[in-house]
Amino acid sequence: MKANWRITNDPLPLAWKGRNLQVDLGAEEWLTAEQQQRKIAVEVKSFLRESRVADLEQALGQYTLYEAILKETEPDRELYLAMPLDAYAELFEGEQFAQILVATNRLKVLVFRPQTEEIIQWIP
């Protein structure tokens, strides 16, 4: 909400083939100059386990599944994986281990500071 998004769903339900899944958040932003609405879904992960790579693997599984379902059910909604700044710095900047996911357009990332609930960076 601090970035001028309106939370529309907390969580955002995803119904698919008799299963009920949930993305952590659904949000909307009105682009006033264009009179269009931008819609996103955000899967928030804490990356608290000892292995951040294992956390990333699990998050990618959910992200891939949710993205495929959203393409079928809400093709105008973009999916983002939200991760804390320290996890992003370790996986994408320091080691650059996961940078391949962004470089190949396989992942959209929202980097946030957990203490202040502030969005630091959007990575399309």
Side-chain angles (χ1 to χ4, degrees):
M1 292 189 324
K2 292 179 182 181
N4 295 323
W5 286 86
R6 183 172 64 91
I7 304 297
T8 57
N9 303 88
D10 184 5
L12 173 69
L14 284 181
W16 182 254
K17 304 288 184 185
R19 305 276 178 151
N20 295 315
L21 306 171
Q22 298 177 340
V23 181
D24 289 325
L25 295 171
E28 297 177 349
E29 174 187 49
W30 277 99
L31 306 173
T32 54
E34 302 168 18
Q35 290 300 307
Q36 292 181 344
Q37 185 180 36
R38 183 174 173 213
K39 295 165 49 174
I40 62 171
V42 180
E43 182 63 22
V44 182
K45 295 297 176 194
S46 57
F47 287 79
L48 295 176
R49 290 193 292 183
E50 190 171 320
S51 171
R52 290 210 167 135
V53 172
D55 281 339
L56 181 62
E57 289 172 333
Q58 181 178 357
L60 284 173
Q62 282 183 285
Y63 184 92
T64 302
L65 178 62
Y66 295 168
E67 184 180 44
I69 293 171
L70 283 170
K71 281 184 181 179
E72 294 293 321
T73 60
E74 291 190 64
D76 59 332
R77 191 179 293 272
E78 297 175 79
L79 180 62
Y80 282 84
L81 174 64
M83 64 173 43
L85 178 59
D86 60 339
Y88 175 80
E90 179 183 326
L91 292 168
F92 289 82
E93 291 176 343
E95 300 173 358
Q96 294 194 345
F97 172 80
Q99 191 61 34
I100 191 170
L101 299 169
V102 174
T104 57
N105 296 317
R106 290 209 166 93
L107 183 65
K108 293 179 181 183
V109 181
L110 193 156
V111 183
F112 69 97
R113 184 171 285 127
Q115 302 84 350
T116 60
E117 297 180 351
E118 175 186 10
I119 296 171
I120 304 299
Q121 188 175 5
W122 292 83
I123 303 164

